Amino acid sequence: MKELIIAFGLLLFIEGILYAIFPSKMKSMLRKLEFVKDSQLRSGGLIFAVLGFVIIYYIKG
């Protein structure tokens, strides 16, 4: 459970630092997201989720 909280904190830190350092680029990127199809977002999200699971599995195993 401790690792999960650390991972969540790291996620928030990385995302927050990107918005703090590159606010205009992050806005631009979010605007471009409107033109991406839902199926592409879903596929990308699934790929990243599986990749994250595999990394965690190998590190913990």
Short mmCIF file of all heavy atoms in Angstrom, two decimals:
data_model
loop_
_atom_site.label_atom_id
_atom_site.label_comp_id
_atom_site.label_asym_id
_atom_site.label_seq_id
_atom_site.Cartn_x
_atom_site.Cartn_y
_atom_site.Cartn_z
N MET A 1 0.83 -1.19 0.00
CA MET A 1 0.00 0.00 0.00
C MET A 1 0.87 1.25 0.00
O MET A 1 0.53 2.24 -0.62
CB MET A 1 -0.93 -0.04 1.22
CG MET A 1 -1.93 1.03 1.23
SD MET A 1 -3.07 0.81 -0.14
CE MET A 1 -4.26 2.02 0.22
N LYS A 2 1.99 1.17 0.70
CA LYS A 2 2.89 2.32 0.77
C LYS A 2 3.43 2.66 -0.62
O LYS A 2 3.51 3.84 -0.98
CB LYS A 2 4.04 2.01 1.73
CG LYS A 2 4.98 3.15 1.95
CD LYS A 2 6.06 2.77 2.95
CE LYS A 2 7.02 3.91 3.15
NZ LYS A 2 8.09 3.55 4.08
N GLU A 3 3.76 1.63 -1.41
CA GLU A 3 4.27 1.86 -2.76
C GLU A 3 3.23 2.52 -3.65
O GLU A 3 3.56 3.36 -4.49
CB GLU A 3 4.74 0.55 -3.40
CG GLU A 3 6.00 -0.01 -2.80
CD GLU A 3 5.73 -0.97 -1.67
OE1 GLU A 3 4.55 -1.23 -1.36
OE2 GLU A 3 6.70 -1.45 -1.07
N LEU A 4 1.97 2.15 -3.48
CA LEU A 4 0.89 2.73 -4.27
C LEU A 4 0.76 4.22 -3.98
O LEU A 4 0.60 5.03 -4.90
CB LEU A 4 -0.42 2.01 -3.98
CG LEU A 4 -1.63 2.48 -4.79
CD1 LEU A 4 -1.41 2.25 -6.26
CD2 LEU A 4 -2.87 1.75 -4.31
N ILE A 5 0.84 4.59 -2.73
CA ILE A 5 0.76 6.00 -2.35
C ILE A 5 1.96 6.77 -2.89
O ILE A 5 1.82 7.89 -3.39
CB ILE A 5 0.64 6.14 -0.82
CG1 ILE A 5 -0.68 5.54 -0.36
CG2 ILE A 5 0.76 7.59 -0.39
CD1 ILE A 5 -0.82 5.40 1.13
N ILE A 6 3.14 6.17 -2.83
CA ILE A 6 4.34 6.81 -3.39
C ILE A 6 4.19 6.99 -4.89
O ILE A 6 4.53 8.05 -5.44
CB ILE A 6 5.60 5.99 -3.04
CG1 ILE A 6 5.88 6.07 -1.55
CG2 ILE A 6 6.81 6.47 -3.85
CD1 ILE A 6 6.96 5.11 -1.07
N ALA A 7 3.70 5.97 -5.59
CA ALA A 7 3.51 6.05 -7.04
C ALA A 7 2.50 7.15 -7.40
O ALA A 7 2.71 7.90 -8.35
CB ALA A 7 3.04 4.71 -7.58
N PHE A 8 1.43 7.26 -6.64
CA PHE A 8 0.44 8.30 -6.89
C PHE A 8 1.03 9.69 -6.66
O PHE A 8 0.81 10.61 -7.44
CB PHE A 8 -0.79 8.08 -5.99
CG PHE A 8 -1.91 9.02 -6.28
CD1 PHE A 8 -2.57 9.00 -7.49
CD2 PHE A 8 -2.30 9.95 -5.33
CE1 PHE A 8 -3.60 9.88 -7.77
CE2 PHE A 8 -3.33 10.83 -5.58
CZ PHE A 8 -3.98 10.80 -6.81
N GLY A 9 1.81 9.82 -5.61
CA GLY A 9 2.48 11.09 -5.34
C GLY A 9 3.45 11.46 -6.44
O GLY A 9 3.54 12.62 -6.86
N LEU A 10 4.17 10.48 -6.96
CA LEU A 10 5.11 10.72 -8.06
C LEU A 10 4.36 11.14 -9.32
O LEU A 10 4.80 12.06 -10.03
CB LEU A 10 5.93 9.46 -8.32
CG LEU A 10 7.02 9.57 -9.37
CD1 LEU A 10 8.04 10.64 -9.00
CD2 LEU A 10 7.70 8.22 -9.55
N LEU A 11 3.24 10.51 -9.58
CA LEU A 11 2.41 10.89 -10.73
C LEU A 11 1.96 12.34 -10.62
O LEU A 11 2.07 13.12 -11.58
CB LEU A 11 1.20 9.97 -10.83
CG LEU A 11 0.16 10.37 -11.86
CD1 LEU A 11 0.63 10.01 -13.25
CD2 LEU A 11 -1.16 9.71 -11.55
N LEU A 12 1.47 12.73 -9.45
CA LEU A 12 1.02 14.11 -9.24
C LEU A 12 2.18 15.09 -9.36
O LEU A 12 2.03 16.18 -9.94
CB LEU A 12 0.36 14.25 -7.87
CG LEU A 12 -0.98 13.55 -7.70
CD1 LEU A 12 -1.46 13.69 -6.27
CD2 LEU A 12 -2.00 14.08 -8.67
N PHE A 13 3.35 14.72 -8.85
CA PHE A 13 4.52 15.57 -8.94
C PHE A 13 4.93 15.80 -10.39
O PHE A 13 5.15 16.95 -10.81
CB PHE A 13 5.69 14.96 -8.16
CG PHE A 13 6.98 15.69 -8.35
CD1 PHE A 13 7.20 16.88 -7.69
CD2 PHE A 13 7.95 15.21 -9.20
CE1 PHE A 13 8.39 17.58 -7.88
CE2 PHE A 13 9.13 15.89 -9.40
CZ PHE A 13 9.35 17.08 -8.73
N ILE A 14 5.02 14.73 -11.15
CA ILE A 14 5.46 14.86 -12.55
C ILE A 14 4.46 15.67 -13.35
O ILE A 14 4.83 16.57 -14.11
CB ILE A 14 5.67 13.46 -13.17
CG1 ILE A 14 6.88 12.80 -12.54
CG2 ILE A 14 5.85 13.56 -14.69
CD1 ILE A 14 7.06 11.34 -12.92
N GLU A 15 3.18 15.41 -13.19
CA GLU A 15 2.17 16.15 -13.93
C GLU A 15 2.17 17.62 -13.50
O GLU A 15 2.09 18.52 -14.32
CB GLU A 15 0.80 15.53 -13.72
CG GLU A 15 -0.22 16.09 -14.68
CD GLU A 15 -1.47 15.26 -14.75
OE1 GLU A 15 -1.42 14.06 -14.41
OE2 GLU A 15 -2.49 15.83 -15.15
N GLY A 16 2.27 17.86 -12.22
CA GLY A 16 2.28 19.24 -11.73
C GLY A 16 3.48 20.03 -12.21
O GLY A 16 3.36 21.20 -12.58
N ILE A 17 4.65 19.40 -12.23
CA ILE A 17 5.85 20.10 -12.66
C ILE A 17 5.76 20.43 -14.14
O ILE A 17 6.24 21.49 -14.58
CB ILE A 17 7.13 19.29 -12.29
CG1 ILE A 17 8.34 20.21 -12.19
CG2 ILE A 17 7.43 18.21 -13.25
CD1 ILE A 17 8.42 20.99 -10.94
N LEU A 18 5.14 19.56 -14.94
CA LEU A 18 4.98 19.87 -16.37
C LEU A 18 4.09 21.09 -16.57
O LEU A 18 4.39 21.95 -17.41
CB LEU A 18 4.38 18.66 -17.11
CG LEU A 18 5.33 17.48 -17.30
CD1 LEU A 18 4.57 16.30 -17.91
CD2 LEU A 18 6.50 17.87 -18.16
N TYR A 19 3.00 21.18 -15.82
CA TYR A 19 2.12 22.35 -15.93
C TYR A 19 2.81 23.61 -15.41
O TYR A 19 2.57 24.70 -15.92
CB TYR A 19 0.81 22.13 -15.17
CG TYR A 19 -0.17 21.29 -15.94
CD1 TYR A 19 -0.35 19.94 -15.65
CD2 TYR A 19 -0.93 21.83 -16.97
CE1 TYR A 19 -1.25 19.17 -16.36
CE2 TYR A 19 -1.83 21.07 -17.69
CZ TYR A 19 -1.99 19.74 -17.37
OH TYR A 19 -2.87 18.97 -18.08
N ALA A 20 3.66 23.48 -14.41
CA ALA A 20 4.35 24.64 -13.85
C ALA A 20 5.43 25.16 -14.80
O ALA A 20 5.62 26.37 -14.94
CB ALA A 20 4.96 24.28 -12.50
N ILE A 21 6.14 24.25 -15.46
CA ILE A 21 7.25 24.66 -16.32
C ILE A 21 6.77 25.05 -17.72
O ILE A 21 7.27 26.00 -18.32
CB ILE A 21 8.31 23.53 -16.41
CG1 ILE A 21 8.93 23.31 -15.04
CG2 ILE A 21 9.39 23.86 -17.43
CD1 ILE A 21 9.87 22.11 -14.98
N PHE A 22 5.80 24.30 -18.27
CA PHE A 22 5.34 24.51 -19.65
C PHE A 22 3.83 24.76 -19.72
O PHE A 22 3.11 23.99 -20.38
CB PHE A 22 5.67 23.29 -20.51
CG PHE A 22 7.08 22.83 -20.44
CD1 PHE A 22 7.41 21.63 -19.84
CD2 PHE A 22 8.10 23.59 -21.00
CE1 PHE A 22 8.72 21.18 -19.79
CE2 PHE A 22 9.41 23.16 -20.96
CZ PHE A 22 9.73 21.95 -20.35
N PRO A 23 3.30 25.81 -19.09
CA PRO A 23 1.84 25.98 -19.08
C PRO A 23 1.23 26.17 -20.48
O PRO A 23 0.21 25.57 -20.80
CB PRO A 23 1.61 27.20 -18.20
CG PRO A 23 2.91 27.90 -18.15
CD PRO A 23 3.97 26.87 -18.36
N SER A 24 1.87 26.97 -21.32
CA SER A 24 1.28 27.22 -22.65
C SER A 24 1.37 25.97 -23.53
O SER A 24 0.44 25.68 -24.30
CB SER A 24 1.96 28.40 -23.33
OG SER A 24 3.33 28.16 -23.49
N LYS A 25 2.45 25.22 -23.43
CA LYS A 25 2.57 24.00 -24.23
C LYS A 25 1.56 22.94 -23.77
O LYS A 25 1.03 22.19 -24.59
CB LYS A 25 3.99 23.45 -24.16
CG LYS A 25 4.97 24.32 -24.89
CD LYS A 25 6.33 23.68 -24.97
CE LYS A 25 7.29 24.67 -25.57
NZ LYS A 25 8.01 24.16 -26.70
N MET A 26 1.30 22.88 -22.48
CA MET A 26 0.33 21.91 -21.97
C MET A 26 -1.08 22.28 -22.45
O MET A 26 -1.86 21.40 -22.82
CB MET A 26 0.38 21.85 -20.45
CG MET A 26 1.68 21.27 -19.90
SD MET A 26 2.02 19.60 -20.43
CE MET A 26 0.84 18.70 -19.46
N LYS A 27 -1.41 23.58 -22.46
CA LYS A 27 -2.71 24.01 -22.99
C LYS A 27 -2.84 23.63 -24.45
O LYS A 27 -3.88 23.15 -24.89
CB LYS A 27 -2.86 25.52 -22.84
CG LYS A 27 -3.26 25.99 -21.49
CD LYS A 27 -3.46 27.50 -21.55
CE LYS A 27 -3.81 28.09 -20.24
NZ LYS A 27 -3.98 29.55 -20.33
N SER A 28 -1.79 23.87 -25.21
CA SER A 28 -1.79 23.54 -26.63
C SER A 28 -1.99 22.05 -26.85
O SER A 28 -2.76 21.63 -27.72
CB SER A 28 -0.48 24.01 -27.27
OG SER A 28 -0.39 23.58 -28.59
N MET A 29 -1.30 21.25 -26.05
CA MET A 29 -1.42 19.80 -26.18
C MET A 29 -2.85 19.34 -25.85
O MET A 29 -3.40 18.48 -26.53
CB MET A 29 -0.43 19.11 -25.25
CG MET A 29 -0.41 17.62 -25.40
SD MET A 29 0.77 16.81 -24.34
CE MET A 29 0.04 17.09 -22.74
N LEU A 30 -3.45 19.94 -24.83
CA LEU A 30 -4.81 19.56 -24.45
C LEU A 30 -5.82 19.95 -25.53
O LEU A 30 -6.80 19.23 -25.77
CB LEU A 30 -5.19 20.18 -23.11
CG LEU A 30 -4.48 19.58 -21.90
CD1 LEU A 30 -4.80 20.38 -20.64
CD2 LEU A 30 -4.85 18.13 -21.72
N ARG A 31 -5.59 21.08 -26.21
CA ARG A 31 -6.47 21.48 -27.31
C ARG A 31 -6.38 20.48 -28.46
O ARG A 31 -7.38 20.18 -29.11
CB ARG A 31 -6.13 22.88 -27.81
CG ARG A 31 -6.80 23.96 -27.01
CD ARG A 31 -6.64 25.32 -27.67
NE ARG A 31 -6.05 26.20 -26.67
CZ ARG A 31 -4.82 26.67 -26.67
NH1 ARG A 31 -4.02 26.41 -27.67
NH2 ARG A 31 -4.38 27.42 -25.70
N LYS A 32 -5.19 19.99 -28.73
CA LYS A 32 -5.00 19.02 -29.81
C LYS A 32 -5.66 17.69 -29.49
O LYS A 32 -6.00 16.92 -30.40
CB LYS A 32 -3.51 18.81 -30.08
CG LYS A 32 -2.84 20.01 -30.69
CD LYS A 32 -1.36 19.78 -30.89
CE LYS A 32 -0.70 21.06 -31.40
NZ LYS A 32 0.75 20.90 -31.51
N LEU A 33 -5.88 17.42 -28.23
CA LEU A 33 -6.49 16.17 -27.81
C LEU A 33 -7.93 16.03 -28.30
O LEU A 33 -8.42 14.92 -28.48
CB LEU A 33 -6.44 16.08 -26.28
CG LEU A 33 -6.42 14.72 -25.64
CD1 LEU A 33 -5.26 13.90 -26.17
CD2 LEU A 33 -6.31 14.85 -24.14
N GLU A 34 -8.59 17.17 -28.57
CA GLU A 34 -9.96 17.14 -29.07
C GLU A 34 -10.06 16.43 -30.41
O GLU A 34 -11.10 15.86 -30.74
CB GLU A 34 -10.50 18.56 -29.23
CG GLU A 34 -10.73 19.30 -27.95
CD GLU A 34 -11.30 20.68 -28.22
OE1 GLU A 34 -12.16 20.81 -29.11
OE2 GLU A 34 -10.86 21.62 -27.53
N PHE A 35 -9.00 16.47 -31.20
CA PHE A 35 -9.04 15.93 -32.55
C PHE A 35 -8.64 14.46 -32.63
O PHE A 35 -8.68 13.86 -33.69
CB PHE A 35 -8.14 16.76 -33.47
CG PHE A 35 -8.53 18.21 -33.50
CD1 PHE A 35 -7.74 19.17 -32.89
CD2 PHE A 35 -9.71 18.62 -34.10
CE1 PHE A 35 -8.10 20.49 -32.90
CE2 PHE A 35 -10.09 19.94 -34.12
CZ PHE A 35 -9.28 20.89 -33.51
N VAL A 36 -8.26 13.89 -31.50
CA VAL A 36 -7.90 12.48 -31.46
C VAL A 36 -9.17 11.66 -31.23
O VAL A 36 -10.01 12.00 -30.39
CB VAL A 36 -6.88 12.21 -30.33
CG1 VAL A 36 -6.54 10.74 -30.25
CG2 VAL A 36 -5.63 13.04 -30.54
N LYS A 37 -9.31 10.59 -31.99
CA LYS A 37 -10.50 9.74 -31.87
C LYS A 37 -10.52 9.04 -30.51
O LYS A 37 -9.48 8.72 -29.95
CB LYS A 37 -10.50 8.69 -32.97
CG LYS A 37 -10.64 9.26 -34.35
CD LYS A 37 -10.58 8.16 -35.38
CE LYS A 37 -10.61 8.73 -36.77
NZ LYS A 37 -10.45 7.68 -37.79
N ASP A 38 -11.74 8.79 -30.02
CA ASP A 38 -11.90 8.10 -28.74
C ASP A 38 -11.24 6.72 -28.76
O ASP A 38 -10.64 6.30 -27.77
CB ASP A 38 -13.38 7.95 -28.39
CG ASP A 38 -14.01 9.26 -27.97
OD1 ASP A 38 -13.27 10.23 -27.74
OD2 ASP A 38 -15.26 9.30 -27.87
N SER A 39 -11.35 6.04 -29.88
CA SER A 39 -10.77 4.70 -29.97
C SER A 39 -9.25 4.75 -29.85
O SER A 39 -8.63 3.86 -29.26
CB SER A 39 -11.17 4.02 -31.28
OG SER A 39 -10.71 4.76 -32.39
N GLN A 40 -8.63 5.80 -30.40
CA GLN A 40 -7.17 5.94 -30.28
C GLN A 40 -6.77 6.23 -28.84
O GLN A 40 -5.78 5.69 -28.35
CB GLN A 40 -6.67 7.07 -31.19
CG GLN A 40 -6.73 6.74 -32.66
CD GLN A 40 -6.34 7.93 -33.51
OE1 GLN A 40 -6.76 9.06 -33.26
NE2 GLN A 40 -5.54 7.67 -34.53
N LEU A 41 -7.53 7.07 -28.16
CA LEU A 41 -7.25 7.36 -26.75
C LEU A 41 -7.41 6.10 -25.90
O LEU A 41 -6.61 5.82 -25.02
CB LEU A 41 -8.18 8.46 -26.23
CG LEU A 41 -7.86 9.87 -26.67
CD1 LEU A 41 -8.95 10.82 -26.20
CD2 LEU A 41 -6.52 10.31 -26.15
N ARG A 42 -8.46 5.36 -26.18
CA ARG A 42 -8.72 4.12 -25.43
C ARG A 42 -7.60 3.12 -25.65
O ARG A 42 -7.09 2.50 -24.71
CB ARG A 42 -10.07 3.53 -25.86
CG ARG A 42 -10.54 2.41 -24.99
CD ARG A 42 -11.97 1.98 -25.34
NE ARG A 42 -12.91 3.00 -24.89
CZ ARG A 42 -13.72 3.69 -25.70
NH1 ARG A 42 -13.70 3.49 -26.99
NH2 ARG A 42 -14.54 4.59 -25.22
N SER A 43 -7.17 2.96 -26.90
CA SER A 43 -6.08 2.02 -27.21
C SER A 43 -4.78 2.46 -26.54
O SER A 43 -4.07 1.64 -25.96
CB SER A 43 -5.86 1.94 -28.72
OG SER A 43 -6.99 1.43 -29.36
N GLY A 44 -4.46 3.75 -26.63
CA GLY A 44 -3.25 4.25 -25.99
C GLY A 44 -3.28 4.07 -24.49
O GLY A 44 -2.29 3.67 -23.88
N GLY A 45 -4.42 4.35 -23.88
CA GLY A 45 -4.56 4.18 -22.43
C GLY A 45 -4.40 2.73 -22.03
O GLY A 45 -3.74 2.42 -21.03
N LEU A 46 -4.97 1.83 -22.81
CA LEU A 46 -4.85 0.41 -22.51
C LEU A 46 -3.41 -0.07 -22.64
O LEU A 46 -2.91 -0.82 -21.80
CB LEU A 46 -5.77 -0.40 -23.43
CG LEU A 46 -5.82 -1.90 -23.16
CD1 LEU A 46 -6.32 -2.18 -21.76
CD2 LEU A 46 -6.72 -2.57 -24.18
N ILE A 47 -2.72 0.41 -23.68
CA ILE A 47 -1.31 0.03 -23.87
C ILE A 47 -0.47 0.51 -22.69
O ILE A 47 0.34 -0.25 -22.15
CB ILE A 47 -0.78 0.60 -25.20
CG1 ILE A 47 -1.41 -0.17 -26.37
CG2 ILE A 47 0.75 0.52 -25.26
CD1 ILE A 47 -1.18 0.47 -27.72
N PHE A 48 -0.65 1.75 -22.27
CA PHE A 48 0.11 2.27 -21.13
C PHE A 48 -0.23 1.54 -19.84
O PHE A 48 0.65 1.29 -19.01
CB PHE A 48 -0.11 3.77 -20.96
CG PHE A 48 0.70 4.59 -21.92
CD1 PHE A 48 0.07 5.48 -22.78
CD2 PHE A 48 2.07 4.49 -21.97
CE1 PHE A 48 0.82 6.24 -23.67
CE2 PHE A 48 2.83 5.24 -22.85
CZ PHE A 48 2.20 6.12 -23.71
N ALA A 49 -1.50 1.18 -19.64
CA ALA A 49 -1.89 0.45 -18.44
C ALA A 49 -1.23 -0.93 -18.40
O ALA A 49 -0.70 -1.35 -17.37
CB ALA A 49 -3.41 0.32 -18.38
N VAL A 50 -1.24 -1.63 -19.53
CA VAL A 50 -0.62 -2.95 -19.60
C VAL A 50 0.89 -2.83 -19.41
O VAL A 50 1.50 -3.62 -18.68
CB VAL A 50 -0.97 -3.66 -20.92
CG1 VAL A 50 -0.13 -4.90 -21.13
CG2 VAL A 50 -2.45 -4.00 -20.96
N LEU A 51 1.50 -1.85 -20.05
CA LEU A 51 2.94 -1.64 -19.91
C LEU A 51 3.30 -1.35 -18.45
O LEU A 51 4.25 -1.91 -17.91
CB LEU A 51 3.40 -0.49 -20.80
CG LEU A 51 4.88 -0.17 -20.81
CD1 LEU A 51 5.68 -1.35 -21.35
CD2 LEU A 51 5.14 1.06 -21.66
N GLY A 52 2.53 -0.50 -17.79
CA GLY A 52 2.75 -0.21 -16.38
C GLY A 52 2.61 -1.44 -15.51
O GLY A 52 3.40 -1.68 -14.61
N PHE A 53 1.60 -2.26 -15.80
CA PHE A 53 1.39 -3.49 -15.04
C PHE A 53 2.58 -4.44 -15.22
O PHE A 53 3.06 -5.03 -14.25
CB PHE A 53 0.09 -4.18 -15.48
CG PHE A 53 -0.14 -5.49 -14.79
CD1 PHE A 53 -0.64 -5.51 -13.51
CD2 PHE A 53 0.16 -6.69 -15.42
CE1 PHE A 53 -0.85 -6.71 -12.85
CE2 PHE A 53 -0.04 -7.89 -14.77
CZ PHE A 53 -0.56 -7.90 -13.49
N VAL A 54 3.06 -4.58 -16.44
CA VAL A 54 4.20 -5.47 -16.71
C VAL A 54 5.44 -4.99 -15.98
O VAL A 54 6.16 -5.79 -15.37
CB VAL A 54 4.45 -5.58 -18.24
CG1 VAL A 54 5.78 -6.26 -18.53
CG2 VAL A 54 3.30 -6.33 -18.92
N ILE A 55 5.69 -3.69 -16.00
CA ILE A 55 6.85 -3.14 -15.29
C ILE A 55 6.74 -3.42 -13.79
O ILE A 55 7.69 -3.90 -13.17
CB ILE A 55 6.98 -1.62 -15.55
CG1 ILE A 55 7.41 -1.39 -16.99
CG2 ILE A 55 7.97 -0.98 -14.59
CD1 ILE A 55 7.33 0.06 -17.43
N ILE A 56 5.58 -3.17 -13.22
CA ILE A 56 5.37 -3.43 -11.79
C ILE A 56 5.52 -4.92 -11.48
O ILE A 56 6.16 -5.30 -10.50
CB ILE A 56 4.00 -2.91 -11.34
CG1 ILE A 56 3.96 -1.39 -11.39
CG2 ILE A 56 3.65 -3.39 -9.94
CD1 ILE A 56 2.59 -0.80 -11.26
N TYR A 57 4.98 -5.76 -12.34
CA TYR A 57 5.05 -7.19 -12.13
C TYR A 57 6.50 -7.68 -12.09
O TYR A 57 6.88 -8.46 -11.21
CB TYR A 57 4.28 -7.91 -13.23
CG TYR A 57 4.30 -9.42 -13.12
CD1 TYR A 57 3.46 -10.06 -12.22
CD2 TYR A 57 5.15 -10.17 -13.92
CE1 TYR A 57 3.49 -11.45 -12.11
CE2 TYR A 57 5.18 -11.54 -13.82
CZ TYR A 57 4.34 -12.18 -12.91
OH TYR A 57 4.38 -13.55 -12.81
N TYR A 58 7.31 -7.21 -13.03
CA TYR A 58 8.70 -7.65 -13.08
C TYR A 58 9.55 -7.07 -11.95
O TYR A 58 10.44 -7.73 -11.43
CB TYR A 58 9.33 -7.34 -14.43
CG TYR A 58 8.97 -8.35 -15.49
CD1 TYR A 58 8.21 -7.99 -16.58
CD2 TYR A 58 9.36 -9.68 -15.36
CE1 TYR A 58 7.85 -8.92 -17.54
CE2 TYR A 58 9.00 -10.62 -16.31
CZ TYR A 58 8.25 -10.23 -17.40
OH TYR A 58 7.90 -11.16 -18.33
N ILE A 59 9.26 -5.86 -11.55
CA ILE A 59 10.03 -5.25 -10.46
C ILE A 59 9.66 -5.91 -9.13
O ILE A 59 10.54 -6.17 -8.30
CB ILE A 59 9.81 -3.73 -10.41
CG1 ILE A 59 10.52 -3.10 -11.59
CG2 ILE A 59 10.30 -3.14 -9.10
CD1 ILE A 59 10.31 -1.60 -11.73
N LYS A 60 8.40 -6.17 -8.91
CA LYS A 60 7.95 -6.77 -7.64
C LYS A 60 8.23 -8.28 -7.60
O LYS A 60 8.32 -8.85 -6.53
CB LYS A 60 6.47 -6.53 -7.41
CG LYS A 60 6.10 -5.07 -7.19
CD LYS A 60 6.66 -4.55 -5.93
CE LYS A 60 5.76 -4.87 -4.78
NZ LYS A 60 6.21 -4.33 -3.51
N GLY A 61 8.34 -8.90 -8.78
CA GLY A 61 8.50 -10.36 -8.83
C GLY A 61 9.89 -10.77 -8.67
O GLY A 61 10.52 -11.42 -8.02
#
